C-alpha cells in the first residue's frame, strides 16, 4: 500500500488502530490518523504520530489529504454505515484512495467448522469499540466485486487497480 505514497504526501488513515501503517511510509511523508479506541490513540501519540480520537462516521474528522488509506476497517462497520464512511474517504482523497480488506474464506462461509470460525473471528476482531460479525463480512468474491464497482461510491471513470496480497485484497482508486 505504501507504494502508492510519494515523498511529501499527507496521508490520512481513518480507523487507524495502533497506526502500524505509518511505520511503512517513505521518509518525508506526513501521517495522520484517528480511531475511537483511546488505547490505540495513546500508542500512536507515544510514537510521535499525529493521531486523534474520532469516529469514522463523523464528517468533521475529515479534511483533504493526498492519500486516504482504509485498512481492515470495513468489517468493523455495520453494512448500512459502510457507504457513508467510504464517501467521506473518497471525498477526502485528493489523489488516491486505498482500501485493504480481507474477504471471508471458504471455511468461514459454512460447513462443519463455521461455528468455530465465527467464534474465533468475532473474538479476535473485538477492539473494545465494536463487535464485528462474521456473517456481515463479504466473501472474497463479493469483496472483489465491491472493489471493482467502487463500493457504489467511486465513479466508474476513476482508474482503479486491484491486487491480492496473501488473504487481503487491495484496491487503489486514482483520481489523477
Amino acid at each position: 500500500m505504501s507504494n502508492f505514497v510519494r515523498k511529501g504526501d499527507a496521508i490520512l488513515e481513518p480507523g487507524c488502530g495502533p497506526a502500524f501503517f505509518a511505520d511503512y511510509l517513505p521518509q518525508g511523508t506526513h501521517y495522520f490518523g484517528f480511531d475511537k479506541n483511546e488505547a490505540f490513540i495513546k500508542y500512536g501519540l507515544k510514537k510521535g504520530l499525529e493521531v486523534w480520537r474520532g469516529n469514522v462516521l463523523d464528517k468533521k474528522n475529515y479534511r483533504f489529504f493526498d492519500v486516504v488509506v482504509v485498512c481492515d476497517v470495513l468489517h468493523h462497520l455495520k453494512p448500512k454505515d459502510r457507504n457513508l464512511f467510504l464517501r467521506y474517504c473518497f471525498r477526502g482523497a485528493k489523489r488516491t484512495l486505498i482500501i485493504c480488506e480481507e474477504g471471508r474464506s471458504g471455511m468461514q462461509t459454512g460447513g462443519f467448522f463455521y461455528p468455530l470460525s465465527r467464534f474465533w473471528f468475532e473474538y479476535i476482531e473485538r477492539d473494545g469499540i465494536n463487535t464485528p460479525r462474521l456473517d456481515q463480512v463479504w466473501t472474497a468474491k463479493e469483496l472483489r466485486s465491491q472493489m471493482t464497482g467502487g463500493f457504489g461510491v467511486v465513479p466508474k471513470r476513476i482508474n482503479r487497480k486491484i491486487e491480492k496480497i496473501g488473504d487481503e485484497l487491495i484496491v487503489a482508486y486514482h483520481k489523477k
Side-chain angles (χ1 to χ4, degrees), residues 70-79 81-83 85-86 99-101 136 138 143 147 151:
V70 175
C71 188
D72 293 328
V73 174
L74 294 173
H75 66 269
H76 285 272
L77 298 174
K78 292 180 173 124
D81 294 332
R82 293 172 184 165
N83 189 277
F85 166 62
L86 290 172
I99 301 171
C100 176
E101 191 76 19
Q136 294 179 343
W138 288 304
L143 180 59
M147 288 178 165
F151 295 93

Side-chain angles (χ1 to χ4, degrees), residues 72-75 82 99-109 117 121 125 133-147 151 163-170:
D72 293 328
V73 174
L74 294 173
H75 66 269
R82 293 172 184 165
I99 301 171
C100 176
E101 191 76 19
E102 183 177 348
R104 275 189 291 155
S105 68
M107 192 167 70
Q108 294 175 317
T109 57
S117 293
F121 171 86
E125 290 294 331
R133 292 181 27 202
L134 183 57
D135 64 333
Q136 294 179 343
V137 176
W138 288 304
T139 65
K141 184 178 178 181
E142 291 167 335
L143 180 59
R144 183 174 288 276
S145 176
Q146 286 289 331
M147 288 178 165
F151 295 93
E163 292 187 25
K164 183 173 173 43
I165 299 177
D167 293 331
E168 303 273 340
L169 279 175
I170 301 170

Side-chain angles (χ1 to χ4, degrees), residues 2-104:
S2 62
N3 289 338
F4 297 109
V5 177
R6 300 186 295 229
K7 183 177 181 177
D9 279 349
I11 298 104
L12 174 67
E13 185 178 16
C16 64
F20 291 142
F21 183 63
D23 297 337
Y24 298 95
L25 293 172
Q27 288 287 76
T29 58
H30 310 284
Y31 177 88
F32 302 86
F34 66 91
D35 200 288
K36 282 174 69 174
N37 189 316
E38 188 65 36
F40 289 154
I41 297 308
K42 286 179 182 176
Y43 182 80
L45 289 170
K46 281 184 185 176
K47 289 171 50 174
L49 298 172
E50 287 281 334
V51 294
W52 64 92
R53 190 159 186 249
N55 185 334
V56 298
L57 300 175
D58 188 345
K59 189 177 183 176
K60 71 180 178 193
N61 287 308
Y62 295 85
R63 298 186 314 257
F64 293 102
F65 294 85
D66 299 303
V67 179
V68 175
V69 175
V70 175
C71 188
D72 293 328
V73 174
L74 294 173
H75 66 269
H76 285 272
L77 298 174
K78 292 180 173 124
K80 69 177 181 64
D81 294 332
R82 293 172 184 165
N83 189 277
L84 178 65
F85 166 62
L86 290 172
R87 282 189 192 287
Y88 291 156
C89 293
F90 184 68
R91 277 190 212 138
K94 289 193 282 188
R95 191 181 73 240
T96 305
L97 169 61
I98 302 167
I99 301 171
C100 176
E101 191 76 19
E102 183 177 348
R104 275 189 291 155

